[in-house]
Amino acid sequence: MSEPDFDFVVIGGGSAGYAGAATAAGLGLKTAVIEGGREIGGLCILRGCMPSKTLLESGHRAEDIRRAGEFGLRAEYQGADGTAIRQRKRKFVSEFMEYRREQLESGKFDFIRGMAAFVDAHTLEVRLLDGGTRTVTAQAFLIATGSQVQMHEVPGLKETGYWTSDDMLDNEHIPASVVVLGGGAIALELASFYAGVGSRVTVIQRSEQILKETDADVAGALTEALEHRGIEIVRNTKLLRVERGGVGKRVHFTHAGTERGVEAEEIIYALGREPAIGKLQLANAGVTTSHRSIVADLHQRCGPDHIFAAGDVCGPFEVVHSAILQAEIAARNAARTLHRLDSALEESDYRLALFAVFTEPQVAAVGLSEAAAREKHDIVIAKYPFSDHGKSMVHGSTYGFVKLIADKDTREILGASCVGPSASELIHEIVVAMYFRAKATDLARIPHYHPTLSEIWTYPAEELACGQNLTPP
């Protein structure tokens, strides 16, 4: 092969792509980023983390206004201004996009705008956004093209019309009622937003449990809390068809062996996402795939030793911090493969795997679930409810609980879950504890200010430490 154009080429300019390129360039690799989207930023900035959380904040503030009377306050919720909510969201997204654009255009790497496809294991053909094509060769590659909405065939859905999560995030219209198809994190966050601003919400979930990746008690607590807020959640269903109804759109499905129908002004399609890899011609490069996803090992290699993947294209977790860590590891491993870094290949470590859902109440978890922990360890578990926690009562947030999972013999914390107020913040105390391989005994020793939400972790920690030596070392 003739002298390649680059040492390392990243396909995708989102959070993972930028992190991988910046790491590689910092190690002295001649690097390029290829981004094919008309907008720059990646999923998290454009259609994921930031826009969705901006909308959710509006929904949850609306909920607070309606609950003002519980706190002795006189306030009246007079509805939501969809245009103003969208403008606020667009302002933030625009600022984040501009920052990412500056990072990509001023980085110590080339930035190429176009759609890339593999010709062979060392060559890409790039259809440039401003017209024409360009051939790009490299010694190593990182695939970080993110994900897209995964479509499932539902009779009548296309003809009747629907919104995806992408559509909803930039729509100023707030329907009086919505049917949300799906019970995963995206679906439930959308349901939480619409319930917050006053829409009537029905969630239709195929399996018996919402958030099927969580423990049953976690999903059950969230179901109870959302239903208390007025959201109807129908589980264990099978979608049959969609059609125009009397005043809106009607979804037909079976539930417990009986056909049902739910009518609403709008249908929100939230049945999952899939890796955005269909146009990359991965077979030409020998990249390993399975079930429309790239298969990457713990070194982030995905077939050939010089091709790596990170983020939603390969999983196992579709979260931005995990994607960034994978990309940085991939870049360093590429440098090692090219003999620019003299050390052993790194492996991605998912011991501190994080998960959060920004519903109201929130859900968060770290480490092993209860089911996974039981498969690998002899464990002990302790839980404590927010309904018996002083600060939660004052806060007016008493649904949910915290749970600690520890090794039975050593009491090392293996995992934790939280359903309740500020769960996405509270979980990080356990992330830090697990990073240092702390035991429940260690956590029980740590002073917590009273009254605080974080203080709740001391109760399951003390239960798990019961009989252990609590004298400071």
Side-chain angles (χ1 to χ4, degrees):
M1 185 179 75
S2 60
E3 186 71 19
D5 301 321
F6 298 96
D7 298 319
F8 189 65
V9 166
V10 179
I11 309 173
S15 298
Y18 172 74
T23 301
L27 293 171
L29 300 185
K30 186 180 180 183
T31 302
V33 175
I34 301 174
E35 169 56 50
R38 292 288 174 182
E39 297 177 306
I40 298 173
L43 177 63
C44 181
I45 290 175
L46 298 175
R47 292 175 294 280
C49 315
M50 305 316 299
S52 65
K53 304 316 173 274
T54 304
L55 265 61
L56 279 164
E57 194 64 37
S58 295
H60 297 159
R61 296 293 178 97
E63 184 98 0
D64 289 341
I65 294 171
R66 285 204 297 275
R67 294 184 59 193
E70 297 178 28
F71 300 87
L73 303 175
R74 296 187 182 94
E76 181 181 353
Y77 179 62
Q78 298 182 8
D81 183 340
T83 301
I85 291 174
R86 183 173 73 167
Q87 287 175 343
R88 181 173 186 264
K89 186 269 301 184
R90 283 183 169 182
K91 175 179 179 294
F92 289 138
V93 169
S94 178
E95 291 172 353
F96 297 136
M97 284 173 55
E98 179 61 20
Y99 180 63
R100 178 54 49 78
R101 184 187 66 78
E102 291 176 357
Q103 287 181 311
L104 289 166
E105 291 182 348
S106 64
K108 296 179 180 179
F109 45 78
D110 287 12
F111 184 43
I112 303 170
R113 304 298 308 281
M115 300 293 293
F118 281 98
V119 176
D120 57 43
H122 287 277
T123 309
L124 295 172
E125 182 178 81
V126 183
R127 289 189 293 107
L128 302 173
L129 293 188
D130 58 3
T133 62
R134 174 179 173 180
T135 298
V136 175
T137 58
Q139 295 190 74
F141 297 89
L142 170 62
I143 303 168
T145 48
S147 65
Q148 60 194 12
V149 173
Q150 182 180 27
M151 295 306 302
H152 298 271
E153 183 64 32
V154 180
L157 180 64
K158 183 177 180 180
E159 294 78 8
T160 304
Y162 61 94
W163 291 348
T164 67
S165 57
D166 292 351
D167 300 324
M168 170 267 167
L169 288 172
D170 199 44
N171 200 311
E172 64 182 26
H173 177 60
I174 298 176
S177 56
V178 296
V179 175
V180 181
L181 306 183
I186 294 173
L188 296 178
E189 288 183 354
L190 299 182
S192 191
F193 164 73
Y194 280 118
V197 296
S199 303
R200 176 174 57 83
V201 180
T202 302
V203 173
I204 300 177
Q205 164 69 341
R206 289 172 292 182
S207 62
E208 183 60 36
Q209 174 183 312
I210 61 171
L211 295 181
K212 55 187 178 183
E213 60 269 74
T214 65
D215 288 325
D217 57 351
V218 172
L222 180 61
T223 298
E224 180 184 1
L226 294 179
E227 289 179 337
H228 177 76
R229 289 181 56 197
I231 299 174
E232 181 184 12
I233 300 176
V234 189
R235 291 161 287 159
N236 196 20
T237 68
K238 181 180 179 180
L239 293 173
L240 297 177
R241 65 189 182 279
V242 176
E243 61 188 14
R244 288 282 176 181
V247 294
K249 302 171 182 179
R250 191 169 184 83
V251 179
H252 293 266
F253 57 95
T254 57
H255 175 238
T258 303
E259 182 173 334
R260 281 191 57 189
V262 174
E263 191 169 303
E265 182 181 343
E266 195 54 72
I267 296 170
I268 311 295
Y269 180 97
L271 293 174
R273 301 182 68 87
E274 64 183 2
I277 58 175
K279 298 179 180 180
L280 292 175
Q281 298 296 321
L282 297 177
N284 291 342
V287 173
T288 306
T289 61
S290 177
H291 304 292
R292 293 181 290 190
S293 177
I294 292 176
V295 178
D297 62 18
L298 292 178
H299 303 306
Q300 299 308 134
R301 285 173 163 168
C302 51
D305 286 349
H306 67 286
I307 302 182
F308 301 81
D312 291 0
V313 295
C314 60
F317 306 105
E318 297 177 3
V319 290
V320 68
H321 74 274
S322 178
I324 290 171
L325 291 173
Q326 289 175 334
E328 291 171 343
I329 287 172
R332 290 192 290 270
N333 282 341
R336 294 178 176 103
T337 300
L338 301 179
H339 307 293
R340 308 292 183 84
L341 195 59
D342 187 19
S343 54
L345 293 177
E346 288 179 68
E347 291 188 349
S348 293
D349 182 3
Y350 301 116
R351 185 175 67 88
L352 300 179
L354 267 165
F355 175 75
V357 185
F358 293 81
T359 46
E360 183 58 48
Q362 295 181 1
V363 175
V366 63
L368 295 175
S369 65
E370 182 177 337
R374 290 191 186 281
E375 292 179 359
K376 300 179 179 180
H377 303 268
D378 194 5
I379 62 172
V380 286
I381 296 172
K383 298 167 62 173
Y384 199 84
F386 279 102
S387 61
D388 193 43
H389 183 50
K391 182 59 183 291
S392 307
M393 296 177 189
V394 172
H395 194 269
S397 303
T398 54
Y399 278 91
F401 59 86
V402 293
K403 176 169 70 172
L404 286 178
I405 304 167
D407 183 272
K408 183 178 180 180
D409 296 326
T410 67
R411 291 303 200 267
E412 180 181 337
I413 300 171
L414 303 173
S417 298
C418 178
V419 184
S422 300
S424 63
E425 306 290 343
L426 291 176
I427 200 66
H428 286 86
E429 178 168 351
I430 309 305
V431 177
V432 173
M434 288 182 60
Y435 179 86
F436 291 104
R437 295 191 176 275
K439 301 177 182 179
T441 313
D442 300 318
L443 184 58
R445 290 192 188 103
I446 297 173
H448 288 69
Y449 201 87
H450 175 77
T452 60
L453 289 174
S454 58
E455 182 186 20
I456 194 171
W457 288 116
T458 64
Y459 302 117
E462 289 169 355
E463 181 180 335
L464 292 180
C466 184
Q468 305 286 310
N469 179 18
L470 292 181
T471 303

